[in-house]
Amino acid sequence: MNDEFEISESGSNFDIKKFLFRALSYWKLFVILLAVAIFYVYQKNIREEFSYRLSTKISVEDDSNPLFTSNASLTFNWGGVTAKVQTMVVTLKSRSHHEKVVERLEFYKSYLKQGRFRKQDIYKSAPFRFHHDYNFSQLIGVPIKVTFLEADTFELEVEFPGNTASTQNYVSKKISTVDVSPGIFKKQFKIGAPIELPFLKGTLVLAENRTVSSGATYFIQFNNFDGVVASYKGRTSVSNPASSPILDISLIDKNTEKIVDYLNTVVAVLREDQLNRKNQYATNAIKFIDEQISRVKTELSKNAEDLNDYRKKNKIFSLDNESVILNEKLTELDAEKDNINRQLNYYANLKNYLATSSSFTEIPAPSIAGISDSNILNNVSKINELSVQKSKLQYSVRSDASIFNDLNRQIEGLKNVLLENISAATDVLKREAKLVNSKLSSVESQFSKLPEDQQRLITIERQYSLSEQTYNVFLAKRGEAEIIKASNVSDILIIDSAKNTGAQVLGRNLNIRYVFAFFAALLVPLLLAFVFTLLDNSVHSPMDVEQLSPIPILGVIGKNPLDNNLIVHRKPKSAVAEAFRSIRSNLQYFYKSKHLEGAKTLLVTSSVSGEGKTFCSINIATVFALSGKKTVLVGLDLRKPKIFDDFHIKNDVGVVNYLIGQESLEKVVQKTDVEFLDVITSGPIPPNPGELLISPKLSELIGELKKQYDYIVLDTPPMGLVADALELFDFVDTSLYMVRQDYTKKGMLNFINEKYRTKQIQNISLVYNGYDQKAKYGYGYGYGYGYGYGYGNYANGYHEDTKTKSGLLTRLKSVFKK
């Protein structure tokens, strides 16, 4: 950013001597810091709570279904052990996996007991259990004290710091607030009796074979679910030594019993999920078959009813020999035709599914449609597995990771091959269908010579037989799918389950901390001396600006404490808002001194992006509007538009659309929540912003705005980066040039100084932005510049956001400042 400027100041070599003397002058600070560091380390050591590490080992196998045959086509290959291992590693590191584990173990709920320095997690050692209502929002982040009074009575005690408390529903995971009374809440309950409070609902019962003594005190604490998941996810590590099928899963925690349960549950959930994914193909097939059975069963019942009704009505219960032979031929051909049509329908649906879907995890097995083509069976299985793997990785891997590119390439390749297989198989089936239809027509011609009652009976029997055969085929396929699903076993083999046989203790060498404390105390003075010795090239105070530039400072603006730029609108009584009012007064005095009548124009620019020109232009326009003057803020930074975001308006149309003649002025002006303030955004980014800003249409735009508004504020591009802003000075009465504390480099002012000295730019003033008299450089000069009651004792009662803080570092600086 700063490469655009040529810093005219002469560089200076680093002065070692000056650095050493400055460092020695901070010896008092070193002694104080060393004493503080030693005291801190001592207190930390005596309060240290050791962490432990335990691990479990699993092996990722490639167990195939023992019942798999060439006909049992519902089982598919997972792609080998290597692919499985990588999938398991990613799954074990995923947030979704840890969410399942935390939810199953209810680790968002802790049982605590007060120790010497802290509340300690006692987990299963607690003599009671609290069974909470899962669908009720429970108090989070605040310990609930449980004091046992008698054998069957206890007291709940909660201290609320404010009027509201946070709660979380552990079914929906939604966090909400509930109104409470500040202070200490106490209430007695019976053990085993329901507890129904606005912030807590459940039942407290004693653990099996446990008793409690009178006066014993414990704590229950619910925590934010997402925070607990993130904590366990961050403390769980998965390693795959030497790219073997062995995975080593370890966890660090302060409670070894929790580590054991968490690791074993991590593996249990992984085994279940892996088996479910392994069964996904069969599950999809069963779901599809059930839908078909339901449909065919209805048809079968109707056909059976029609057959019985016809026989009873016409008293025909059997066919003659010729009719029987024709019926058998027709039934056989109907079954063959139905089988072909079923395969053709499957291929058509599969082809449409491949063309329109981005996920291929729901493809039913081809075998349920009677398809035995090995190429299609294998390719459908492979594309289904790759899609399941991709779907699983989306929860834990960034979408632009290389693994997704590999999976997408494999899926696309398989899809193209499968489409070719479908095309070839469809052609074969269509030829077979023509042959069957020819045979069917021949038999039906013989059928037409039979008596009418015989024909009718045969037709009904044909429909019944066809439905019956289809129903039996689907029942057989469903049985096959159920057998394969039931016989599948997980590919996760537990080698060593987690067990506390001697947990590894972490961080036992505490004395080394005193060494680090010494060097940390020494490092601070050395760093301070080094930083202050270096040639500092940033602007740190209004005094720096006065020394660097002949251009007058119109005003000084403090730091913006809000999350957007609308501080004058949202905090009208703040010190920053007062600073903008002072700038408004100074500008009005300038306009009056120049005897300017009618609409007044103002341009706001800076050296580079980030110095606050948009912040200034928005709030200058706001203070003008708050004074009852019709004001318009025009975004002329066509390369990097910003102002629309703060006002929550769209940037679909704006200055660009007007300048190219696409929209009228009325269409590009947008209202804001601030009365009397309108905004014209820059609009879509054009390919030629510089040419647009020098077009005659801009002069026409300013002229039209002067007829409608009292004040026109132009938010322009940075002068130091592009030449656009220079072209705009001819349209304005005065200009503001932003300088930001601890951001603007001194050399950046050379550019505007030169323009001002050669009178290329006149009627320009500087605005000092981001002023903080308590900044790290300690410039407490108390500048006025319209800052009004910004800081100091006189500010009390005038500004709602003024706070006076006096820290240790500030006092130390005053002691050691030269």
Side-chain angles (χ1 to χ4, degrees), residues 709-765:
Y709 295 94
D710 298 315
Y711 287 97
I712 303 167
V713 180
L714 306 182
D715 179 38
T716 68
M719 288 181 59
L721 299 182
V722 293
D724 298 356
L726 288 173
E727 306 292 341
L728 301 174
F729 278 88
D730 295 335
F731 297 103
V732 297
D733 301 320
T734 186
S735 307
L736 297 182
Y737 195 89
M738 302 302 298
V739 177
R740 181 177 167 188
Q741 180 169 307
D742 301 336
Y743 188 88
T744 303
K745 300 302 180 184
K746 295 176 181 179
M748 293 180 179
L749 294 172
N750 294 339
F751 179 78
I752 191 65
N753 288 345
E754 179 63 21
K755 298 295 181 184
Y756 184 76
R757 184 185 65 80
T758 59
K759 301 189 182 299
Q760 295 182 49
I761 298 176
Q762 300 183 38
N763 299 332
I764 187 169
S765 301

Side-chain angles (χ1 to χ4, degrees), residues 577-624:
E578 286 298 324
F580 280 110
R581 290 190 181 92
S582 178
I583 293 174
R584 177 188 64 190
S585 300
N586 292 338
L587 287 171
Q588 289 174 335
Y589 175 78
F590 169 80
Y591 292 136
K592 187 178 295 184
S593 67
K594 296 296 183 180
H595 305 290
L596 296 174
E597 300 295 337
K600 283 83 174 176
T601 54
L602 171 67
L603 179 147
V604 182
T605 187
S606 62
S607 300
V608 293
S609 179
E611 291 179 306
K613 62 178 182 59
T614 299
F615 168 64
C616 181
S617 60
I618 287 175
N619 288 286
I620 286 290
T622 302
V623 294
F624 279 136

Side-chain angles (χ1 to χ4, degrees), residues 682-696:
S682 62
I685 299 175
N688 57 339
E691 288 73 14
L692 285 179
L693 291 179
I694 62 174
S695 67

Side-chain angles (χ1 to χ4, degrees), residues 340 343-344 346-348 350 371-377 417-433:
I340 292 173
Q343 294 183 51
L344 286 172
Y346 178 86
Y347 284 140
L350 179 58
I371 294 170
S372 58
D373 188 320
S374 60
N375 290 328
I376 292 178
L377 293 175
V417 173
L418 192 54
L419 288 172
E420 293 178 1
N421 296 149
I422 292 172
S423 179
T426 301
D427 291 341
V428 173
L429 287 174
K430 286 180 178 179
R431 289 194 295 270
E432 292 180 1

